[in-house]
Amino acid sequence: MDFEKHDLSSLPYWEHLSAGEKELVRTSAYERTYDKGEYIYRPGMDECLGMLMLIKGEIRAHVLSRDGREVTLFRLHSAETCVFSASCFIRQITFDTFLTAETPCEVIVIPTATFSRLTDQNIYVRCFTFELLAERFSSVMWAVQQILFYGFDRRLAGFLVGEHDRVGTREIRMTHEQIARYLGSAREVVARMLKRFSQEGLVDVRRGCIRLTDIPRLRALADGGEHDRGLS
């Protein structure tokens, strides 16, 4: 596979690979693109991809309840990696995880057989794998803590402030449905809380866009500095 467009040396463990291991990755890795909304990985897929490195776009990892409720575990952005799609050989992953392309995505795939071989024979790749798993499970526990212990107003404020910090703009271009998926809630709950935020001068809600009008107060609410309005 010719990787003129994307340099494999951006892999986190590349400098610790032997010449033979680097050649193995070069000859087996491949690029793949996904459309918005397409499953990258889901339980029961015939194909076990291996390790993914996201080149472009955004990926959402989530779980799905029997009644169809989604809970977002974490999101991946450019240059980040994921091994949840390699769960067929990582025995520590014991729950069903979905990976969905939130935007058009371009990824580099290190196939399962290759990644398994690297993990078995290279201590740096093995350490990288388990450190990444620990980091992702920390994100999962954070998501669970948010749902169990924080009022929805605090969670929503934290999400909005986090998006502001990530993209660097006051305008969050998301629908109520998208935010509900990220926060493991319902669209109606998001709409009600945004309406309350709007009445309090924290946001200005427009079609497909939420403009943050009082970021300091939103940040204070996210940090627990204002009265908790509950789980509405």
Side-chain angles (χ1 to χ4, degrees):
M1 175 64 67
D2 184 1
F3 281 98
E4 291 183 357
K5 186 176 180 181
H6 301 300
D7 191 350
L8 285 172
S9 64
S10 58
L11 287 168
Y13 46 78
W14 181 258
E15 64 182 38
H16 298 295
L17 299 181
S18 67
E21 289 168 339
K22 289 179 179 178
E23 183 60 22
L24 173 65
V25 174
R26 288 194 188 97
T27 56
S28 62
Y30 59 93
E31 295 185 13
R32 177 169 289 187
T33 59
Y34 295 90
D35 295 328
K36 179 179 178 180
E38 185 176 355
Y39 280 126
I40 296 173
Y41 177 81
R42 69 178 186 275
M45 283 185 70
D46 294 334
E47 180 182 19
C48 186
L49 292 175
M51 193 209 84
L52 304 181
M53 183 169 69
L54 182 59
I55 301 301
K56 179 182 178 182
E58 179 181 312
I59 295 173
R60 182 171 66 100
H62 58 99
V63 292
L64 186 65
S65 70
R66 290 185 177 181
D67 61 1
R69 180 184 178 189
E70 294 184 5
V71 175
T72 298
L73 304 177
F74 56 84
R75 288 185 289 164
L76 300 175
H77 302 95
S78 296
E80 293 188 309
T81 56
C82 184
V83 294
F84 274 62
S85 53
S87 59
C88 55
F89 85 90
I90 299 178
R91 294 185 299 275
Q92 287 79 1
I93 301 178
T94 59
F95 56 90
D96 291 338
T97 309
F98 295 76
L99 298 178
T100 303
E102 288 294 284
T103 65
C105 290
E106 183 176 345
V107 302
I108 290 177
V109 181
I110 310 298
T112 297
T114 298
F115 191 54
S116 180
R117 180 174 170 183
L118 294 177
T119 302
D120 287 342
Q121 68 187 28
N122 189 304
I123 186 64
Y124 292 103
V125 179
R126 190 178 310 133
C127 288
F128 160 80
T129 301
F130 287 104
E131 286 177 4
L132 184 59
L133 281 173
E135 180 181 332
R136 296 295 177 240
F137 276 108
S138 177
S139 297
V140 170
M141 292 307 298
W142 181 86
V144 171
Q145 181 186 44
Q146 292 277 311
I147 293 171
L148 291 179
F149 303 123
Y150 292 170
F152 188 72
D153 62 332
R154 184 173 177 181
R155 291 165 54 202
L156 180 57
F159 175 80
L160 295 175
V161 170
E163 286 300 297
H164 161 73
D165 293 343
R166 184 177 69 84
V167 301
T169 177
R170 288 178 176 267
E171 294 188 346
I172 310 301
R173 297 190 176 279
M174 291 184 183
T175 65
H176 295 177
E177 184 67 35
Q178 286 176 299
I179 296 174
R181 287 202 306 269
Y182 289 143
L183 296 181
S185 186
R187 182 186 62 79
E188 294 78 11
V189 175
V190 173
R192 285 200 302 269
M193 192 59 72
L194 283 174
K195 182 178 180 180
R196 187 176 298 179
F197 281 7
S198 178
Q199 292 170 342
E200 296 180 4
L202 300 175
V203 301
D204 179 19
V205 181
R206 306 171 185 176
R207 186 176 181 83
C209 177
I210 302 163
R211 189 172 190 278
L212 311 188
T213 53
D214 196 332
I215 294 173
R217 285 181 59 203
L218 282 170
R219 199 179 298 278
L221 176 57
D223 292 339
E226 289 197 6
H227 178 64
D228 191 340
R229 301 170 182 80
L231 292 169
S232 302

